[in-house]
Amino acid sequence: MELEHKANWAVKTLNFDLKVASSKRLIDINELDEIRLDTYKSALLYKEKTKRWHDQSFIRREFKVGELVLVYNSRLKFFAGKLKSTWSGPFKVIRVFPHGPIEVKGPTNTFKVSGPHAKQYHVNRSLEAPEVLYIEPS
């Protein structure tokens, strides 16, 4: 009882209204919630924008079954050597999965490869013997 009396005395001496203080506290809590929601929305927009920018750097490649591909070997990235390529192959595409990975057949086994770690293999036809056309002089 004595503590209540001291609390009431402190409120009266400071001319402090409990209803006004409680309503102000509720307003402050609501403002903090609004700030938190705004921050959440802006962080979400930032993440979406960053993801769009990051995904632009990937080249979308469409592979077909039976196609020849080269596979990126990440182990050679650090110890490649001066003229050694980090792309190995060619490998034959056995199966294409819906979200990017492909299954390729190597000389001994089959394995899955992520879409960005594979690229199409084009046979260099310029190394083959060109056709020679003989034109008779007129």
Side-chain angles (χ1 to χ4, degrees):
M1 185 73 178
E2 187 176 325
L3 288 175
E4 281 184 32
H5 178 68
K6 286 185 179 179
N8 286 336
W9 177 81
V11 169
K12 286 179 184 176
T13 56
L14 295 175
N15 197 12
F16 194 72
D17 191 8
L18 288 178
K19 288 186 180 181
V20 174
S22 64
S23 64
K24 184 178 182 322
R25 180 165 288 176
L26 285 174
I27 291 171
D28 289 345
I29 289 173
N30 288 337
E31 285 179 5
L32 283 175
D33 281 344
E34 288 178 13
I35 292 170
R36 184 182 57 83
L37 286 174
D38 289 342
T39 306
Y40 176 76
K41 287 177 186 176
S42 65
L44 189 64
L45 290 173
Y46 173 76
K47 283 182 184 179
E48 288 174 357
K49 188 176 177 181
T50 307
K51 183 178 181 345
R52 245 183 282 122
W53 176 81
H54 183 262
D55 288 346
Q56 285 177 352
S57 64
F58 289 116
I59 300 170
R60 302 282 180 228
R61 296 185 177 107
E62 298 293 326
F63 298 104
K64 298 173 187 145
V65 176
E67 200 172 41
L68 295 176
V69 296
L70 295 175
V71 175
Y72 180 73
N73 190 349
S74 60
R75 291 182 184 169
L76 292 176
K77 181 178 180 181
F78 300 111
F79 308 107
K82 196 167 189 178
L83 298 175
K84 199 168 195 177
S85 175
T86 55
W87 294 91
S88 57
F91 299 102
K92 190 172 186 177
V93 176
I94 301 297
R95 192 168 152 196
V96 180
F97 294 97
H99 296 290
I102 59 172
E103 188 173 353
V104 295
K105 183 178 189 288
T108 57
N109 58 353
T110 62
F111 54 95
K112 287 184 184 177
V113 178
S114 176
H117 288 218
K119 67 180 179 180
Q120 292 177 340
Y121 176 74
H122 301 288
V123 179
N124 192 354
R125 300 205 185 277
S126 65
L127 297 177
E128 298 173 2
E131 292 182 27
V132 178
L133 298 173
Y134 180 72
I135 302 173
E136 293 184 22
S138 48

